[in-house]
Amino acid sequence: MTEETPGFEEKPDVPSGAASDGAEPKDAPSSPEEEAPAAGDGVQTVGLTAQLDQVRTALNERTADLQRLQAEYQNYRRRVERDRATVKEIAVAGLLSELLPVLDDVGRARDHNELVGGFKSVAESLETVVAKLGLQQFGKEGEPFDPTIHEALMHSYAPDVTETTCVAILQPGYRIGERTIRPARVAVAEPQPGATPAAAKEEKATDEESGGTEEV
């Protein structure tokens, strides 16, 4: 019989260089699965960049739309304000047109020194109110005749004028801003046909005193 030494077990011979059971191999090459995450990160970055570009494009489009809407709103508000001012001016002009005969009566009473007492106070209050509403009176004797703001009711010739001139204001004109409510009704005088105007007479007299004009 073969005697066995107690406490010792025979182990199979392990070749030198072989890894023991449970030990991980050292310096093992990386597997394709371990390299895959790096390539996946690059694809994800490209996708995010594309999405970011789309978001920027959409943002620029929305910004342009808002700017266009704001410009349209500003134009609309200006039109509304301009139309409102025009409507107000027309309404005020219509009201003041009805008061012009009263103002004419006040003017005639003032010319005849009849604007006294309580009537004077009322007339002055009325003139103050219409002035606050923008009513302006125009028309003066001696100013050149302008058919756009003057209405000639009388016509004559005068040797002392060099152009058609307003020689009398029969009724004053009224305007609001640039809008003429009523033209000034005037008497006009034109230079007398064949007559030498006063200015030409003075110039001729001056030339005669200086020895006459020089011939060319």
Coordinates of all heavy atoms in Angstrom, one line a residue, residues 22 35 46 67 100 146:
G22 N -9.4 32.9 -11.7 CA -10.0 34.1 -11.1 C -9.1 35.3 -11.3 O -9.5 36.4 -11.0
E35 N -14.6 51.1 -27.6 CA -14.3 52.2 -28.4 C -15.5 52.9 -29.0 O -15.5 54.0 -29.5 CB -13.4 51.8 -29.6 CG -12.0 51.3 -29.1 CD -11.1 50.9 -30.2 OE1 -11.7 50.9 -31.4 OE2 -9.9 50.6 -30.0
V46 N -22.8 66.5 -33.3 CA -23.2 67.0 -34.6 C -24.7 67.3 -34.7 O -25.2 68.3 -35.2 CB -22.8 66.1 -35.7 CG1 -23.4 66.5 -37.1 CG2 -21.2 66.0 -35.9
Q67 N -40.3 92.6 -35.5 CA -39.9 93.9 -35.9 C -40.8 94.4 -37.0 O -41.2 95.6 -37.0 CB -38.5 93.9 -36.4 CG -37.4 93.6 -35.3 CD -36.0 93.4 -35.9 OE1 -35.8 93.2 -37.1 NE2 -35.1 93.5 -35.0
L100 N -68.8 132.9 -38.1 CA -68.2 134.0 -38.8 C -69.2 135.2 -39.0 O -68.7 136.3 -38.8 CB -67.7 133.5 -40.2 CG -66.6 132.5 -40.2 CD1 -66.1 132.2 -41.6 CD2 -65.4 133.0 -39.3
D146 N -53.8 137.9 -53.8 CA -53.5 136.5 -54.0 C -54.9 135.8 -54.1 O -55.7 135.7 -53.2 CB -52.8 136.0 -52.7 CG -52.4 134.5 -52.9 OD1 -52.8 133.9 -53.9 OD2 -51.6 134.0 -52.0

